[in-house]
Amino acid sequence: MYTVKQLSTLAGVTPRTLHHYDRIDLLKPEEVGENGYRYYGQQSLLRLQQILFYRELGFSLESIRDILNRPDFRIVDALEEHRSSLQGRVRRLERLIRTVNETIQHLKGETKMNDRRLFAGFGEEQQEEYARQAEQLYDPETVRASNRKWKSYPVAKKQAILEEGRQVYLDMAAVMSQGPASPEVQAIVERWRVHMDYFWTPGLDQLLELAAMYSQSPDFKANFDQIHPQLADFMGEAVRVYVENQR
Amino acid sequence: MYTVKQLSTLAGVTPRTLHHYDRIDLLKPEEVGENGYRYYGQQSLLRLQQILFYRELGFSLESIRDILNRPDFRIVDALEEHRSSLQGRVRRLERLIRTVNETIQHLKGETKMNDRRLFAGFGEEQQEEYARQAEQLYDPETVRASNRKWKSYPVAKKQAILEEGRQVYLDMAAVMSQGPASPEVQAIVERWRVHMDYFWTPGLDQLLELAAMYSQSPDFKANFDQIHPQLADFMGEAVRVYVENQR
DNA sequence: CTTGACATTGACGTTACGTCATAGTTTATA
DNA sequence: TATAAACTATGACGTAACGTCAATGTCAAG
């Protein structure tokens, strides 16, 4: 059993916050002594953790209370949602970091920057959008279409296409030192995009997804890493720059 | 020249926000028409970008105004500060993600978890703390002491120490597949810590800094990547787990 | 038995806007 | 060219999540 002070230091909040959460029926102590003191136990810890996760993600205390009180609330499911939401937050911060870097280069006169890019990463929370894109990439129809197109080529052409792809990646590895935003690298991204047409024609969002897969899927990454240990990650970065420039 | 609506959509804020910023002398329009309309130009864009960065990082509007109005304010310096602050935020979110994962494992009964770890990543904003650590790591006295100790060894011993270090990293690469939290990996982190004593004796926080440097400093990372393409990043993760367990 | 750290319940203050309401201005379109 | 749609302005009050007192009671240690 924790007292208010103990729980507050444990969780990194103030005692006042716990008073507030009690008042609004968000987190009630499990026991109250005859002196009126609040005492919290294990259940409170897990509930407070959930509250803090939701709060971190921008939920209002009222909606948090409603969520946690729903009879079909499953804590493990919620935690898995938190994970992907937090990962989304990381991606957003990484975009902001890129905006910082580009602005520095812009101010030093090394590159030019349009006004929209000055604010890239600030507004966009769009999590729903992301789900839609992923769906489309893994959509069975997309996969089937891709396979059909690929199978329609004669063997010799297949080999030529694979070799062309390999050459794109080799060329990319050769100019990695120029940086993801360099004209050399961006030209190769363009070649890569054209190359993908042999399989199917991805939209801009799907390009991003593809490049992300190169980093995330272990077997893809292993192949790329044979060419250069950072090629997969670098491709992701270069394609992100490419897509931003296209919009 | 942008109108209120135009700038607001560009920057991802509401018109009301721009009204507010005008009222409190945080962001004044560069021109005001005879009809009272506000018009914003390039200088406003850069200033608004700064405002949004500081706001993102939790500064109050009042302190932002004071910062931006200081005569010695340098925008590029500020942007570089933003970058490292944002990187700190990313690290904090990554700790929260680890807390999510550990909680899930805990609830599934696969591992045990003490109450403190339930809240790891929530309280710690400690940016000041971080600055202090970094200062101590790069502190000239620390560097000199490290050099003195190193130079005091005879040549043969120097070679033996370097070889020992290399062996630690090779062994680490061999057990990477076990995961950063595995006993095998953690045992090698312990060996690594002892090994560091040849140079100087870092505290827990400095261990973290060192491991982070392996990923961030290009020359360090290049060396590590020769052993294994992900060794530097993996070391960082393993050391973080180690430090959390030690506390 | 007193001191200091903790606990309680009000109650008002603060920050960064949201949300109307009222009214004038510009732009698109019929 | 009339008029609606979309923008602009300035109040002024509302709000969320606590912070910050204030007044008072409780407990553990020396």
Side-chain angles (χ1 to χ4, degrees):
Chain A
M1 285 289 158
Y2 291 98
T3 68
V4 167
K5 182 73 190 308
Q6 287 165 351
L7 179 56
S8 68
T9 57
L10 184 69
V13 300
T14 68
R16 179 63 172 84
T17 300
L18 295 179
H19 287 163
H20 188 55
Y21 290 175
D22 185 1
R23 171 76 60 94
I24 65 173
D25 294 331
L26 178 57
L27 181 69
K28 294 276 186 196
E30 294 177 22
E31 279 184 36
V32 179
E34 296 192 354
N35 46 20
Y37 283 26
R38 297 170 173 84
Y39 297 104
Y40 299 89
Q42 287 299 316
Q43 288 312 307
S44 302
L45 295 190
L46 286 174
R47 188 172 171 107
L48 179 54
Q49 193 206 38
Q50 287 303 308
I51 292 170
L52 295 181
F53 273 125
Y54 279 113
R55 188 182 70 165
E56 174 76 31
L57 294 169
F59 286 72
S60 75
L61 298 186
E62 189 184 0
S63 58
I64 294 174
R65 187 188 52 199
D66 294 345
I67 291 170
L68 296 184
N69 286 345
R70 253 155 38 188
D72 59 334
F73 176 79
R74 294 293 130 195
I75 189 167
V76 173
D77 295 354
L79 283 164
E80 281 166 359
E81 276 183 40
H82 298 334
R83 177 170 48 201
S84 74
S85 300
L86 290 169
Q87 283 165 349
R89 293 288 264 247
V90 168
R91 280 194 298 274
R92 176 170 171 279
L93 288 178
E94 283 169 346
R95 299 196 59 175
L96 283 176
I97 291 173
R98 282 207 302 284
T99 300
V100 167
N101 289 331
E102 291 179 16
T103 305
I104 290 176
Q105 298 225 319
H106 172 65
L107 290 174
K108 287 183 174 170
E110 295 171 12
T111 56
K112 285 167 195 169
M113 204 175 174
N114 67 38
D115 292 346
R116 286 193 55 201
R117 298 248 304 263
L118 270 176
F119 300 99
F122 278 118
E124 311 124 60
E125 190 83 18
Q126 34 89 283
Q127 170 184 0
E128 187 188 355
E129 185 70 9
Y130 182 78
R132 201 185 49 72
Q133 296 166 206
E135 270 172 37
Q136 194 165 357
L137 183 60
Y138 301 116
D139 179 57
E141 183 46 40
T142 304
V143 174
R144 269 198 300 277
S146 170
N147 279 336
R148 268 203 306 274
K149 194 164 184 182
W150 173 246
K151 283 183 182 160
S152 73
Y153 300 125
V155 179
K157 178 134 197 180
K158 281 184 186 173
Q159 287 193 330
I161 291 172
L162 285 178
E163 180 49 39
E164 181 189 300
R166 189 173 161 71
Q167 194 60 49
V168 169
Y169 301 129
L170 284 172
D171 291 347
M172 180 64 89
V175 296
M176 273 177 62
S177 60
Q178 309 285 321
S182 67
E184 293 87 347
V185 167
Q186 289 300 306
I188 296 180
V189 174
E190 178 62 32
R191 273 175 58 199
W192 174 72
R193 184 184 189 175
V194 172
H195 173 71
M196 291 310 301
D197 278 339
Y198 284 121
F199 306 94
W200 98 105
T201 304
L204 281 178
D205 292 334
Q206 293 167 351
L207 281 181
L208 276 175
E209 285 291 320
L210 266 178
M213 273 182 56
Y214 290 167
S215 291
Q216 284 159 16
S217 149
D219 45 346
F220 269 62
K221 192 164 163 51
N223 274 313
F224 276 88
D225 285 351
Q226 266 190 314
I227 299 176
H228 186 288
Q230 284 148 353
L231 182 55
D233 293 335
F234 184 85
M235 277 289 293
E237 187 65 23
V239 170
R240 272 196 291 271
V241 173
Y242 176 84
V243 168
E244 276 186 12
N245 284 332
Q246 292 291 312
R247 300 201 214 252
Chain B
M1 286 290 155
Y2 291 97
T3 68
V4 167
K5 182 72 190 310
Q6 286 164 353
L7 180 55
S8 69
T9 56
L10 185 68
V13 300
T14 68
R16 178 64 173 89
T17 300
L18 294 179
H19 288 161
H20 188 54
Y21 291 174
D22 184 3
R23 172 77 58 94
I24 65 173
D25 293 331
L26 178 57
L27 180 68
K28 293 278 187 194
E30 293 176 23
E31 279 184 36
V32 179
E34 295 191 356
N35 47 19
Y37 283 24
R38 298 170 174 84
Y39 297 103
Y40 299 89
Q42 286 300 315
Q43 289 311 307
S44 302
L45 294 190
L46 286 173
R47 189 173 170 104
L48 179 54
Q49 193 205 37
Q50 287 303 310
I51 293 169
L52 294 181
F53 273 125
Y54 280 112
R55 188 182 70 166
E56 175 76 31
L57 294 169
F59 287 72
S60 74
L61 298 185
E62 189 184 1
S63 60
I64 294 174
R65 187 188 53 199
D66 294 345
I67 290 170
L68 296 183
N69 287 345
R70 255 157 36 189
D72 60 334
F73 176 79
R74 294 293 130 195
I75 189 167
V76 173
D77 295 354
L79 283 165
E80 281 165 358
E81 277 183 41
H82 298 334
R83 178 170 46 201
S84 73
S85 300
L86 290 170
Q87 284 165 347
R89 294 286 267 244
V90 169
R91 281 193 296 274
R92 176 170 172 277
L93 287 179
E94 284 168 346
R95 300 191 59 172
L96 282 177
I97 291 172
R98 282 207 300 284
T99 300
V100 167
N101 289 330
E102 291 179 17
T103 306
I104 290 176
Q105 299 224 319
H106 171 64
L107 289 175
K108 287 183 175 170
E110 295 170 12
T111 56
K112 285 167 194 168
M113 203 174 174
N114 68 37
D115 292 347
R116 286 194 54 202
R117 297 252 297 267
L118 268 177
F119 299 98
F122 277 118
E124 310 123 61
E125 187 86 13
Q126 33 89 282
Q127 170 181 0
E128 188 187 355
E129 185 71 7
Y130 181 77
R132 201 186 49 72
Q133 293 166 207
E135 270 172 37
Q136 195 165 357
L137 184 59
Y138 302 117
D139 179 56
E141 183 47 40
T142 304
V143 174
R144 270 198 299 278
S146 170
N147 280 335
R148 267 204 307 275
K149 195 164 183 183
W150 174 246
K151 283 182 184 162
S152 72
Y153 300 125
V155 179
K157 177 135 197 179
K158 281 185 187 171
Q159 287 192 332
I161 291 172
L162 286 177
E163 180 49 38
E164 183 190 298
R166 189 173 161 71
Q167 195 59 50
V168 169
Y169 301 129
L170 284 172
D171 291 347
M172 180 64 89
V175 297
M176 274 177 62
S177 60
Q178 309 286 320
S182 67
E184 293 88 345
V185 167
Q186 288 300 305
I188 295 180
V189 174
E190 178 63 32
R191 273 175 59 198
W192 173 72
R193 183 182 189 175
V194 172
H195 173 72
M196 292 309 301
D197 279 339
Y198 284 121
F199 305 94
W200 98 105
T201 305
L204 279 178
D205 293 332
Q206 293 168 350
L207 281 182
L208 277 175
E209 285 290 321
L210 268 178
M213 273 181 56
Y214 291 167
S215 290
Q216 284 159 17
S217 149
D219 45 347
F220 270 62
K221 191 163 163 53
N223 274 313
F224 276 89
D225 285 350
Q226 266 190 314
I227 299 176
H228 186 287
Q230 285 148 354
L231 182 55
D233 294 334
F234 184 85
M235 278 289 293
E237 188 63 23
V239 171
R240 273 196 289 272
V241 173
Y242 176 84
V243 168
E244 275 187 12
N245 285 333
Q246 291 291 310
R247 301 201 213 251

